[in-house]
Amino acid sequence: MSDIRDTQRRLLGYLKPHLPVLVGGLACAAMTAAITAGIAKFIEMALDAMRYGNIRRLTWMCISVVAIFLIKGIFSFGQSYLLSLTANRVATRLRDEIYSHLHHLSLAFFNRRRTGAILSTITSDVPVLQAASMSLKDAISAPITIAISLAGLFYYSWRLALISLIFIPFMALVIQRIGKRIRSISGEVQAKLADVTTIVEETVSGVRIIKSFATETEEVQRFSTENHNTMKWVMRGVRKSSQLRPLTEFIGAFGIALVLYLGGIEVSHTNLVIKAQERTYYAADPLRYSRPAPEFKDPRGGLTQGGLMAFVYLLNALARTAGDIGGIVTLREQALAAARRIFGEILNVESDVKEQPDPIYLPRLAGQVKFEDVCFRYGDDDPDVLSHITFEASPGQIIALVGRSGSGKSTLVDLIPRFYDPTGGQILIDGVDIRTVGIQSLRRQIGIVPQETWLFAGTLRDNIAYGNSSASDEEVRSAAYAANAAFIESMPHRFETVVGERGIRLSGGERQRIAIARAILMNPRILILDEATSSLDASSEALVQEALDVLMKGRTTIVIAHRLSTVVNADRILVIDGGKILEVGSHRDLVAAGGKYAELYERQSRGFED
C-alpha cells in the first residue's frame, strides 16, 4: 500500500509545475459538470410550464437552454484543451527524463535489460499515464456531479432519495472488486507488450540473419504467438473493465425502476390534489373557465411530473457518473501499473558507474595507462572475469592483448573508458584514478574502433563528425583521407550521401574506415582497437590497417588482436587467459619463450584459428 502511495505522490509531482493550467482545466470541468447537473431544474420548469399551459415561461426556458449550452460548450472546450495540454506536457517530460536517464546508466543496465522492454516503456507505458492525466476531468467532475445530483434528489423528494442511496454501496463494492483485478492484469499487459516490442526490435535488427537462414516462417510464428498471448491478456482486462459500467448501470436501473414506481404513485397523488384544487377554483367563479388555472401545488410538497422527470434525470446522472468512476478506477490502476514499470525499471535504477560530486576534469592527456591489481566481476554472485591484472602502458606505446575468445580481453578495455568500474584495484591515467575523473572529460580523450562498427542513419559527414559536430568540412575531409576512405569521392553525394540505418549501404571495410576517420577527427590521446580488422577480407584489411597505422602514431594504443600477425610490432604483448595475464613481452621474446603465445602463433601460422 505504501508503494502505491509513493507512486501516486511521485506522479502528482509531475503535475505540480503545470498547476495553473491544470486548475484552469479542472475549473472548466467543474463548471461543465455543474451545468450538466443543473439542467434538471430546467427540465422540471419546462414540463410544468407545458402542464399548466404557461407559454411565456416555456419560451423563456427554450431561449435559456440555448444560452446555457453555449456556455457549457465554452467550458467543455476549455477542459479538453487545458487538460490535453497538461497531459502532453507531462508525457513529454517523462519521455525526456527516461531518455536522459538511459544515457546516464552504465552498460551493465543494458546487458540486463532487453531492448524491446526499454522501448516499450516509452511507447506503451508513457501513453497510459498520458491517458490517465486526461481522465483528471472525470476525477473532478464526478464528485461535483454526484454532490449536485444528491442535493437535487433530496430537494425533490427526500424519501425517494434515501431509497435510491441504498444501491450506492453495491456499486462501490463492484468498482472496488473489479478495479483490484484490473491493476494486476494491467501489469501483465504492459509486460506482454514489452515482449512483442522486443521481438520486433530483434527481428528488424537481425533481418539479414533471418533471411540468410530462411527462418521467416519461424519468426512470424514466434511473433504471432506472443502477439496472441498479449491479446488474451488485453481482452482479460477489457472483459473486467467492460463489466464495470453495465454492472453499475444495472444496479442503477433497479433504483430508477423503483423511483419511477414510487414516484409515479406520488405524482398521481399530487395530480389528484391539484385537480381537486382546480375544481374548487373554477366552481367558485364559472367565469374563470376562460383562462388557465394558476399553478397549484400539493400543500405537502408532493412531486409533479416535472419534478419526477428532474429526479429521474439526476438519478440517471448519478448512476452514469458511478459508471464513469469505474472508468476512472480502470485508468488509475493501469496508470499505477505503468508508473511502477517506469520508476522501478528505469528511473529508480542507479548507474553502476557513478561520477563523484566534484570530479576532476582532465586536461590534455599524456596517455599513460596503469592497471594496479584490477579485478572485475559482472555481478556479486558471478565469478571474476578479470583477476589481479597489473600492467602499464607508457605514452605512445602500443600494447596488444591476445588470447582465446572469452578470456577477458574486451572486458579489460571496457574498464578504461569506465563502461564498468573494477570491483578491485584501480586504473590510473596520467597518475589519476579514473573513478575520480569527470566521465565525459575522460571519454572525450579515448578513441574506440570496435570490430562491429555502428553508423547512424545520417550522412557520411554526420557519422565522421559524430562526437565533434563543430568540425569544419576541411577537417572532416582530411580525416576521411587519412583513414583511406577515398571511396567517398565515388559516392552519389560524396560526404552528404546517406548511409542508411547502421550504414547498410556500405561494405564492412568502408564502415570500418568511417569509424577510423571518426576517431582521427576526435584526436584522442588513448586509442582502443577491439579486433578492428578481424571480420574483413584481405584487401579491405590492408586498407584498414594502413589507416590504423596513421591513427596510432603518437597515441597510447591498446589493441585486442585476433590475428597475431597484426601485432608483431607491438611494444608489448599481454597474453590473457581465464582473466589473468599469463605472459608479457615483445613478439620475438614471447615466441622465443615457447609458452602460450608461441603456441597460438604457431597454430595461426599453420592456418588454425582459435
Side-chain angles (χ1 to χ4, degrees), residues 92-122:
T92 300
R93 180 185 166 190
L94 267 172
R95 282 191 289 265
D96 283 345
E97 285 192 10
I98 292 169
Y99 191 73
S100 174
H101 191 70
L102 285 173
H103 282 287
H104 287 86
L105 294 174
S106 68
L107 285 183
F109 170 83
F110 297 95
N111 292 338
R112 293 191 298 263
R113 299 290 197 283
R114 297 171 301 167
T115 302
I118 297 171
L119 293 176
S120 180
T121 302
I122 297 178

Side-chain angles (χ1 to χ4, degrees), residues 52 274-296:
Y52 294 107
I274 291 174
K275 284 181 179 180
Q277 291 174 337
E278 287 178 350
R279 284 195 296 271
T280 303
Y281 173 77
Y282 287 122
D285 184 359
L287 295 176
R288 292 175 176 172
Y289 280 101
S290 61
R291 59 182 183 273
E295 297 181 11
F296 294 111

Side-chain angles (χ1 to χ4, degrees), residues 450-516:
Q451 179 180 0
E452 292 295 332
T453 302
W454 182 282
L455 298 185
F456 295 91
T459 65
L460 285 166
R461 188 198 186 286
D462 293 338
N463 276 284
I464 293 173
Y466 190 79
N468 189 5
S469 57
S470 62
S472 66
D473 290 343
E474 184 58 37
E475 288 173 326
V476 171
R477 191 177 297 108
S478 297
Y481 292 148
N484 268 349
F487 68 89
I488 294 176
E489 296 296 339
S490 63
M491 301 296 285
H493 303 289
R494 301 182 67 193
F495 284 89
E496 297 306 317
T497 301
V498 176
V499 300
E501 187 174 2
R502 300 188 183 184
I504 191 67
R505 297 180 184 176
L506 304 179
S507 69
E510 289 170 342
R511 288 196 296 272
Q512 203 71 324
R513 278 174 277 168
I514 295 299
I516 294 170

Side-chain angles (χ1 to χ4, degrees), residues 509 533-534 536-546 563 565-566:
T533 63
S534 64
L536 304 178
D537 57 59
S539 59
S540 295
E541 181 181 0
L543 290 170
V544 170
Q545 191 60 55
E546 285 180 18
R563 295 174 185 164
S565 59
T566 63

Side-chain angles (χ1 to χ4, degrees), residues 11 147 156 290 312 501:
L11 286 175
Y156 287 111
S290 61
V312 172
E501 187 174 2

